[in-house]
Amino acid sequence: MQSRRTRKVVNSTKPLISLNRVSRFYKPDKPALFDISFDIFPGEFVYIAGPSGAGKTTLMRLMHLAEMPDTGALTFAGHDVSNLRRSAVSVLRRSMGVVFQDFKLIDDLSIFANVGLPLEVAGLSVSAMRSRVEEVLEQVGMPGRGADLTAFLSGGEQQRVAIARALVGSPSLILADEPTGSLDAYSANFVLDVLEQVSASGTTVVFATHDRMLMAARPHRVIAFEGGRLVGMSSKGTETAAGTGT
Amino acid sequence: MRINKVAHIIRRAFGGFRRRPWFHLLSVVTLGAAFLSFAATLTAAVNMDTLLSRWVDAAELTVYLRSDAGDGDLIKLAAAVREIDGVEGVEAVTPEDARDRFSRDLGSYGEMGASLPLTAFPGSLDIRLKPALSRNTQARTDLAVRLENVAIVEEVQVYDEWFERLSAVSLIGRLAVWGLGLLTMIVAVLVVAATIRAGVNSRRKEIEVLRFVGATDRYVRLPFLLEGALEAVAAMCLALAALHFMMNRIDLVVGQILPLIGGGSMVRLGSMVLLGLILGGLAAGFAGARLSLRRLDEAR
């Protein structure tokens, strides 16, 4: 696992994710996303900002390959994802980690079983899983807790477990959809600390949020949406032309 | 890597049993009852078939001689019939022997039989046929016609009506086994499908999580398919164990009656049949699980 992480190459000249005039329609006359184009480069920390209904979650689902664009092109690590077979999509997903606002942990499984799922799917042995899971649990401040059931954890702890699960496969991209939305300030700060550390070590982090204060306190590049349209982009630490839509 | 994946899939399948033990136990018992009824019917049909075969194999032709034929004619004809291909043995029954048998059969009224005139009891030949001839209706009829053409023969009895009735009973038994077999398979498929569907519904979140961490459709489906197949095999093994126990009990009673009606000891299902039943259970379980997973692949 360590060798896989050290093999991760941060090549900022080629985008990790590229959207070119992407649209997504659930209803013909009301696009969830319309004519979106932007690039995200390896190792970047990017906020996807906007109010509820702006299209953040649809965008995250597109980047996670859970949905495909109706028009336009989406490439991930140089692969045009629209023509990929389902099995290839599954394999590509193994290079992504996902964190949700509602954690999406399996309540009747232990922390180890939850965090180890990506490694299980990748076909690692149980012993290899144990050492890697312990490593990431330490990274999220929960060492030696593998045997605990997730059902008995606080919200902050559950989100740490969810982040550990996202990190355990040493992904090149982490998609975090409002991960701090249901957390107290301390837990939210901890989550951001971990994600910034991960980003600093070369992993791309895409963080969907509507929280302007958070973005101001932890400045990174912002891509702002409103009503399914891209309304502004900023480089690190600057306001977008259209604000953040909040 | 592949071995680890197989190990994870097997662990996941057994995890389904571990997480919902009572639910799975209930469906194993339900399925086991269906399988037991089928295996018991199959055993009954096999035993009935064996009994009928023994009756058919023991079948005789009876040749009655004319009243003017003497004992010498009877002995000569018996010797000639013994030489016919397909004849197992011949017993010559003289009029005296016939009257003695009749008297014995009358028990306490035997004296009345003994007083009857010998002319009332024609000499006869009881002919036992070899199985190949006794099971061939046409050959048996040809032999009867041949014997009827002998000058001193009055009548030949071939018992064809009995053979036809027994064959019909045997056919009904076979049809019942096939019908019940089909019904059992349908029940098994539906029970397994319902169990696995309930398992899938209770683990929707887990399936969703598996998908977003990169599990392929096959990785998601295989544990459920294995779970269904294992459940059906466990039910079949339970049914066969119950059948074995039942046969031991039944053998104590029926085993004593069978020799009296021309049967041997009770016949149990052979090892190949048992293997076939277990494989049939496996197939039913697999099909049921597959049926319940039809819509699982629709979501990305």
Side-chain angles (χ1 to χ4, degrees):
Chain A
M1 222 18 96
Q2 190 62 37
S3 62
R4 275 175 60 187
R5 274 185 297 162
T6 50
R7 268 194 280 120
K8 198 184 292 170
V9 177
V10 179
N11 181 353
S12 58
T13 58
K14 285 187 178 176
L16 181 69
I17 301 170
S18 181
L19 280 80
N20 184 18
R21 310 206 64 178
V22 165
S23 296
R24 178 77 174 129
F25 297 87
Y26 297 122
K27 291 177 186 170
D29 55 336
K30 193 172 181 293
L33 283 175
F34 186 72
D35 203 23
I36 308 296
S37 299
F38 64 81
D39 294 329
I40 295 176
F41 292 90
E44 267 196 297
F45 191 120
V46 179
Y47 288 119
I48 302 294
S52 296
K56 301 190 297 292
T57 298
T58 302
L59 181 63
M60 296 300 264
R61 285 180 61 78
L62 285 173
M63 286 193 282
H64 188 232
L65 317 180
E67 292 180 24
M68 291 293 147
D70 291 312
T71 60
L74 168 63
T75 60
F76 177 78
H79 300 278
D80 182 352
V81 300
S82 54
N83 297 320
L84 286 177
R85 288 166 50 187
R86 284 173 69 99
S87 56
V89 167
S90 298
V91 172
L92 263 188
R93 276 186 185 157
R94 292 177 201 166
S95 55
M96 303 176 189
V98 200
V99 185
F100 299 94
Q101 183 176 1
D102 61 353
F103 323 129
K104 292 208 190 298
L105 299 177
I106 304 159
D107 295 341
D108 57 345
L109 291 184
S110 67
I111 291 177
F112 168 76
N114 270 283
V115 176
L117 272 179
L119 304 179
E120 182 196 309
V121 165
L124 265 71
S125 68
V126 174
S127 59
M129 281 168 63
R130 274 194 205 292
S131 59
R132 176 61 186 149
V133 168
E134 191 49 43
E135 209 176 303
V136 286
L137 284 180
E138 210 162 300
Q139 199 176 346
V140 298
M142 296 180 76
R145 301 278 303 273
D148 294 357
L149 280 179
T150 52
F152 303 119
L153 302 177
S154 68
E157 285 176 322
Q158 289 196 43
Q159 195 58 295
R160 288 185 199 197
V161 172
I163 290 172
R165 183 181 60 196
L167 296 178
V168 77
S170 307
S172 52
L173 169 68
I174 290 189
L175 297 167
D177 191 3
E178 306 259 11
T180 55
S182 56
L183 302 182
D184 58 60
Y186 175 80
S187 296
N189 272 321
F190 186 88
V191 166
L192 273 156
D193 285 345
V194 172
L195 292 178
E196 283 177 342
Q197 278 168 25
V198 170
S199 173
S201 68
T203 300
T204 307
V205 175
V206 178
F207 192 112
T209 184
H210 63 271
D211 188 341
R212 290 187 71 167
M213 285 174 64
L214 181 146
M215 287 184 278
R218 307 274 190 141
H220 296 283
R221 181 154 83 104
V222 178
I223 303 175
F225 288 83
E226 201 166 324
R229 290 165 196 270
L230 198 158
V231 291
M233 265 194 278
S234 77
S235 56
K236 182 172 177 175
T238 60
E239 272 290 317
T240 63
T244 54
T246 54
Chain B
M1 196 76 94
R2 188 172 283 272
I3 291 172
N4 289 332
K5 275 196 178 179
V6 171
H8 288 311
I9 286 168
I10 293 171
R11 202 173 295 121
R12 236 164 224 295
F14 279 102
F17 286 101
R18 211 172 40 241
R19 286 156 80 177
R20 311 182 80 198
W22 293 111
F23 187 73
H24 279 284
L25 186 67
L26 185 66
S27 27
V28 165
V29 171
T30 309
L31 268 183
F35 286 150
L36 176 62
S37 74
F38 172 65
T41 309
L42 182 63
T43 307
V46 166
N47 273 282
M48 194 197 295
D49 224 29
T50 308
L51 182 63
L52 294 181
S53 295
R54 289 177 75 96
W55 284 349
V56 168
D57 292 347
E60 294 180 341
L61 287 178
T62 304
V63 178
Y64 293 101
L65 301 194
R66 296 164 69 97
S67 55
D68 55 347
D71 287 357
D73 296 327
L74 184 69
I75 303 300
K76 272 186 201 165
L77 184 60
V81 171
R82 268 189 205 103
E83 297 304 314
I84 295 172
D85 192 30
V87 171
E88 176 87 33
V90 178
E91 188 187 356
V93 183
T94 61
E96 288 83 1
D97 292 339
R99 189 170 61 183
D100 288 349
R101 276 188 194 176
F102 184 67
S103 301
R104 272 201 307 275
D105 290 346
L106 288 176
S108 56
Y109 300 100
E111 279 181 21
M112 196 170 74
S115 66
L116 290 170
L118 270 180
T119 49
F121 300 95
S124 63
L125 297 179
D126 285 342
I127 303 171
R128 287 192 313 283
L129 302 175
K130 288 179 179 171
L133 184 57
S134 71
R135 290 178 186 188
N136 185 337
T137 312
Q138 186 57 50
R140 222 171 46 239
T141 308
D142 290 347
L143 176 62
V145 170
R146 203 169 137 196
L147 290 170
E148 271 174 346
N149 289 334
V150 176
I152 56 169
V153 171
E154 176 75 38
E155 185 192 357
V156 178
Q157 272 194 359
V158 288
Y159 310 113
D160 268 353
E161 202 176 315
W162 271 103
F163 287 131
E164 280 164 15
R165 282 180 188 170
L166 296 178
S167 299
V169 170
S170 173
L171 181 66
I172 289 168
R174 284 194 191 123
L175 286 175
V177 167
W178 279 107
L180 197 66
L182 186 67
L183 199 66
T184 307
M185 285 298 267
I186 292 169
V187 168
V189 167
L190 293 179
V191 170
V192 172
T195 313
I196 299 298
R197 193 172 295 132
V200 166
N201 285 336
S202 73
R203 288 157 73 179
R204 285 237 169 257
K205 192 171 171 187
E206 186 176 334
I207 292 168
E208 183 191 356
V209 173
L210 274 170
R211 284 198 195 288
F212 76 62
V213 299
T216 57
D217 291 337
R218 189 188 295 177
Y219 192 85
V220 173
R221 291 166 65 95
L222 273 175
F224 288 111
L225 292 174
L226 191 59
E227 199 176 313
L230 283 173
E231 185 175 294
V233 168
M236 184 58 86
C237 290
L238 181 74
L240 294 179
L243 181 69
H244 179 74
F245 176 77
M246 276 169 55
M247 288 290 285
N248 284 345
R249 292 278 166 186
I250 292 170
D251 219 3
L252 291 174
V253 181
V254 180
Q256 292 172 341
I257 298 169
L258 272 177
L260 300 178
I261 56 171
S265 55
M266 280 192 56
V267 179
R268 304 210 176 197
L269 299 177
S271 53
M272 292 309 288
V273 176
L274 294 179
L275 184 66
L277 286 174
I278 291 171
L279 290 178
L282 184 89
F286 192 78
R290 212 178 142 76
L291 183 71
S292 70
L293 297 175
R294 271 180 312 170
R295 291 185 195 158
L296 195 63
D297 290 346
E298 285 170 11
R300 267 191 180 266

